[in-house]
């Protein structure tokens, strides 16, 4: 063992890709198949090179020809091959073959697995960098059911060979993590970047399922992706399962509402309903291709310092119960959010917000990092076919309403603001409910935590019952008794 000398720092020891592959190969019980399409057999190659692969690999294959692939895995309805549906078919088919061809009587101690990926690497013109789906179906005991980890990756490198090598490395990390880090999903997630850099590949969706992951909330795993810098935005649906943003937003009309939703109030839902009505009345908006997104920024989740995961899940639980799609992003500035949406669609977009958020948009301090300052940011924000829907703010002391006609921006920004308003980029939400303008999430949260009465009437129907039943946001059935 090497000696330590004064001044040495502790360094985390991450196993190399070869060592990870070798450890799996030397385990006499781990046995399975590899099916890789689109970037060579890069993952299984690491196991062959590590040595001892005959004890691990039952079969390795690639069905590059589309007719061969369809004959093996079936034809997709959309005729696409790099999809989640195709990956799941690959995993199911390969796992069935393992069970069918390998007798449990002959292999009583074997724990089987099937690893698969279907990817497309960078194109010849180097305009589309490529993406892919990868996953593993595996068991940890011969008598247990199968667990599954499925994720989507986006390549960042500009060379096909480098992308192939990166895919092979992350594939080994996935298989190793599935077997050796499954009891700690957060660490498993981080391990995907062992021996890799975040500039090489992005993970923008992941789902865990199976008996060993029954306690895992996939929404929390989504949050970890953004928190760890593995991606800038994640999305999950009303059922709590993670969604691929690129798939959901592709060529869609997008209406986004940013907020804390802590908790979601009648004001939030009134803004959503009225903004959606306005959005669907736009000539260039197709109702069948419209996506409404409730967005929460990482900055908002860190408002009290560290991210409170329980608090995050409380917000997610309520929004999901209302049937909404939720997005967590690392975009503090609105123009970055719009730029992100623009990667997937050229259709009309809209943002619904309150007066306070609108005033912040016209605050120059948020754009000091841009060489073109606020003008550059606004060029990115409004260059796309974007509109802002403004929900009014009522002064709690005077009762005065702030709308697009009288909101106060910095004097230097007045003419710029007038330009966007005159050109119809900023529109007031007219048919709002005036009786709920005095509802604020922070007041509701305080009332819940302090045991005050009356907060239930400030929330959408059914939300108060969920908060009480699930004891969200620190709710307690204990009544506070006032002592004179």
């Amino acid at each position: 063992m090497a000696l330590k000398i004064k001044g040495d720092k502790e360094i985390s020891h991450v196993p190399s890709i070869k060592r990870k592959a070798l450890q799996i190969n030397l385990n006499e019980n781990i046995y399975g198949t590899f099916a890789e399409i689109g970037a060579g057999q890069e993952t299984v190659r690491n196991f062959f090179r590590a040595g001892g692969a005959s004890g691990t690999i039952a079969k390795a294959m690639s069905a590059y020809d589309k007719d061969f692939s369809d004959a093996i895995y079936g034809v997709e309805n959309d005729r696409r091959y790099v999809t989640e549906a195709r990956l799941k078919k690959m995993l199911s088919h390969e796992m069935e073959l393992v069970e069918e061809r390998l007798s449990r009587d002959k292999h009583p101690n074997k724990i089987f697995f099937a690893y698969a990926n279907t990817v497309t690497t960078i194109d010849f013109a180097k305009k589309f960098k490529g993406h892919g789906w990868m996953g593993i179906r595996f068991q940890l005991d011969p008598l247990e059911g199968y667990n599954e980890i499925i994720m989507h990756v986006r390549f960042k490198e500009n060379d096909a060979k480098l992308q192939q090598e990166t895919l092979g490395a992350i594939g080994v990390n996935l298989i190793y993590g599935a077997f050796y880090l499954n009891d700690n999903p957060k660490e498993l997630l981080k391990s995907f970047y062992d021996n890799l850099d975040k500039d090489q590949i992005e993970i923008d969706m992941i789902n865990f399922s199976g008996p060993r992951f029954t306690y895992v909330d996939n929404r929390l795993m989504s949050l970890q992706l953004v928190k760890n810098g593995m991606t800038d935005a994640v999305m999950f649906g009303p059922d709590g399962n993670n969604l691929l943003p690129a798939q959901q937003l592709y060529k869609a009309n997008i209406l986004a509402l940013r907020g804390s939703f802590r908790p979601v109030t009648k004001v939030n839902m009134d803004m959503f309903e009225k903004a959606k009505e306005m959005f669907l009345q736009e000539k260039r908006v197709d109702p069948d291709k419209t996506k409404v997104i409730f967005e929460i920024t990482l900055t908002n989740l860190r408002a009290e310092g560290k991210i409170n995961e329980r608090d995050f899940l409380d917000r997610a639980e309520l929004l999901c119960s209302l049937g909404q799609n939720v997005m967590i992003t690392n975009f503090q500035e609105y123009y970055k959010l719009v730029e992100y949406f623009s990667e997937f669609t050229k259709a009309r977009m809209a943002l619904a917000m309150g007066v306070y958020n609108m005033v912040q948009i016209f605050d120059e301090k948020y754009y000091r990092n841009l060489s073109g300052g606020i003008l550059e940011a606004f060029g990115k924000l409004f260059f796309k076919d974007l509109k802002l829907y403004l929900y009014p703010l009522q002064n709690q002391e005077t009762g005065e309403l702030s709308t697009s006609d009288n909101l106060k921006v910095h004097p230097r920004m007045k003419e710029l603001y007038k330009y966007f308003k005159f050109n119809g980029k900023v529109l007031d939400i007219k048919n709002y409910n005036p009786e709920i303008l005095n509802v604020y999430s922070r007041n509701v949260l305080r009332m819940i935590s302090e045991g005050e009465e009356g907060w239930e009437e400030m929330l959408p129907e059914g939300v108060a019952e969920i908060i009480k039943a699930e004891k969200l946001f620190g709710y307690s059935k204990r009544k506070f008794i006032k002592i004179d």
Side-chain angles (χ1 to χ4, degrees):
M1 182 176 179
L3 294 175
K4 287 188 177 181
I5 62 174
K6 189 176 180 180
D8 280 346
K9 303 294 184 183
E10 286 294 330
I11 300 174
S12 60
H13 296 284
V14 176
S16 67
I17 296 300
K18 182 178 180 179
R19 186 174 180 83
K20 286 186 175 186
L22 181 61
Q23 183 166 340
I24 292 173
N25 283 348
L26 295 180
N27 187 309
E28 60 184 13
N29 294 325
I30 299 175
Y31 202 55
T33 65
F34 293 76
E36 304 183 69
I37 300 176
Q41 293 185 301
E42 293 301 316
T43 300
V44 75
R45 181 167 65 95
N46 286 297
F47 288 88
F48 283 128
R49 286 184 169 183
S54 60
T56 300
I57 303 169
K59 182 187 73 172
M61 66 159 290
S62 294
Y64 273 78
D65 184 86
K66 292 181 179 180
D67 292 333
F68 268 79
S69 184
D70 289 342
I72 297 171
Y73 302 116
V75 181
E76 302 299 324
N77 293 331
D78 56 8
R79 302 295 303 178
R80 295 167 64 200
Y81 294 86
V82 185
T83 65
E84 183 179 13
R86 174 58 98 192
L87 177 71
K88 287 185 174 181
K89 283 185 178 179
M90 293 170 70
L91 290 173
S92 296
H93 178 81
E94 298 303 330
M95 202 72 260
E96 287 173 6
L97 288 182
V98 171
E99 289 282 4
E100 177 186 325
R101 295 173 178 176
L102 298 178
S103 168
R104 284 289 182 182
D105 294 332
K106 184 178 179 181
H107 304 284
N109 298 319
K110 295 290 187 185
I111 49 177
F112 296 142
F113 75 91
Y115 167 83
N117 66 49
T118 173
V119 304
T120 176
T121 53
I122 192 167
D123 62 353
F124 186 76
K126 297 187 182 295
K127 290 184 178 180
F128 177 69
K129 290 190 176 181
H131 71 109
W133 290 90
M134 58 195 305
I136 181 172
R137 186 170 293 183
F138 66 104
Q139 57 183 176
L140 295 167
D141 187 280
L143 301 179
E144 273 189 7
Y146 286 96
N147 307 285
E148 193 171 87
I149 305 173
I150 287 179
M151 62 186 188
H152 181 265
V153 298
R154 299 172 73 187
F155 295 111
K156 292 186 175 182
E157 294 165 307
N158 291 316
D159 181 83
K161 183 179 178 181
L162 294 177
Q163 291 183 354
Q164 291 169 351
E165 292 173 354
T166 298
L167 180 69
I170 200 171
V172 174
N173 288 339
L174 170 60
I175 297 170
Y176 180 89
F179 285 109
Y180 294 105
L181 297 170
N182 58 79
D183 63 332
N184 192 338
K186 289 183 182 178
E187 291 304 312
L188 191 161
L189 208 63
K190 292 179 182 177
S191 76
F192 293 155
Y193 282 94
D194 286 354
N195 306 290
L196 293 172
D197 192 275
K198 293 184 178 69
D199 290 335
Q200 294 175 264
I201 197 165
E202 172 185 350
I203 304 172
D204 58 357
M205 198 218 80
I206 191 164
N207 274 318
F208 295 80
S209 60
R212 292 295 177 109
F213 298 128
T214 53
Y215 64 93
V216 173
D217 191 311
N218 282 312
R219 296 170 299 188
L220 189 56
M221 292 299 102
S222 267
L223 174 62
Q224 297 302 315
L225 291 178
V226 182
K227 180 181 175 183
N228 294 335
M230 298 175 179
T231 189
D232 286 320
V234 292
M235 191 173 177
F236 52 87
D239 61 358
N241 276 326
N242 296 329
L243 303 172
L244 179 63
Q247 187 173 304
Q248 296 295 313
L249 305 179
Y250 183 66
K251 292 186 177 181
N253 298 114
I254 302 171
L255 170 63
L257 296 85
R258 172 176 289 183
S260 65
F261 309 114
R262 190 179 185 233
V264 58
T265 65
K266 284 185 175 179
V267 169
N268 297 136
M269 296 312 293
D270 192 48
M271 185 188 302
F272 151 67
E273 291 165 1
K274 302 306 187 294
K276 185 178 179 181
E277 288 177 9
M278 293 176 65
F279 192 54
L280 295 178
Q281 289 173 3
E282 297 277 353
K283 291 181 180 180
R284 292 188 54 199
V285 173
D286 182 351
D288 295 329
K289 294 182 179 180
T290 295
K291 291 288 181 180
V292 180
I293 298 167
F294 282 64
E295 185 234 2
I296 306 174
T297 66
L298 210 60
T299 303
N300 186 287
L301 293 172
R302 286 198 181 111
E304 296 180 352
K306 291 184 178 180
I307 294 176
N308 184 328
E309 293 179 355
R310 181 66 261 171
D311 177 73
F312 161 72
L313 288 176
D314 288 350
R315 306 190 210 190
E317 192 68 33
L318 292 184
L319 290 171
C320 288
S321 72
L322 293 170
Q324 303 302 328
N325 292 316
V326 182
M327 179 172 277
I328 310 298
T329 76
N330 201 23
F331 306 126
Q332 183 176 3
E333 298 86 1
Y334 277 103
Y335 78 87
K336 291 183 179 179
L337 178 64
V338 173
E339 275 191 312
Y340 177 75
F341 289 156
S342 299
E343 291 182 32
F344 312 114
T345 183
K346 294 181 180 179
R348 170 152 289 174
M349 293 179 276
L351 302 175
M353 65 185 67
V355 167
Y356 177 74
N357 284 358
M358 175 67 80
V359 173
Q360 283 188 312
I361 285 180
F362 283 84
D363 191 333
E364 290 181 284
K365 71 179 181 182
Y366 294 110
Y367 314 109
R368 289 170 183 162
N369 61 316
L370 294 176
S371 58
I374 194 171
L375 292 180
E376 180 181 343
F378 277 32
K380 294 177 178 180
L381 180 66
F382 290 105
F383 172 72
K384 305 300 179 183
D385 197 3
L386 179 85
K387 291 195 175 182
L388 302 181
Y389 298 143
L390 191 62
Y391 198 83
L393 175 68
Q394 187 175 51
N395 188 302
Q396 290 180 291
E397 296 179 359
T398 65
E400 180 186 4
L401 281 181
S402 293
T403 66
S404 68
D405 294 323
N406 63 353
L407 69 81
K408 297 178 181 179
V409 298
H410 193 280
R412 289 199 301 268
M413 297 293 107
K414 277 187 177 181
E415 297 305 317
L416 185 62
Y417 171 73
K418 288 180 182 178
Y419 170 80
F420 290 115
K421 179 170 171 54
F422 179 79
N423 284 280
K425 296 292 186 180
V426 180
L427 302 172
D428 284 307
I429 296 176
K430 299 287 189 181
N431 52 344
Y432 59 88
N433 182 356
E435 297 179 1
I436 61 173
L437 291 180
N438 61 343
V439 174
Y440 296 91
S441 289
R442 60 180 179 273
N443 291 340
V444 176
L445 186 65
R446 178 187 56 77
M447 293 172 72
I448 293 173
S449 61
E450 295 180 2
E452 291 186 24
E453 297 182 352
W455 56 270
E456 294 91 342
E457 289 74 25
M458 301 179 183
L459 306 182
E461 185 178 350
V463 169
E465 288 71 22
I466 296 174
I467 291 176
K468 292 177 180 179
E470 303 293 334
K471 293 183 173 58
L472 308 182
F473 300 107
Y475 171 79
S476 173
K477 290 184 179 180
R478 177 170 64 90
K479 294 292 183 181
F480 286 75
I481 301 173
K482 184 177 180 182
I483 301 176
D484 295 326

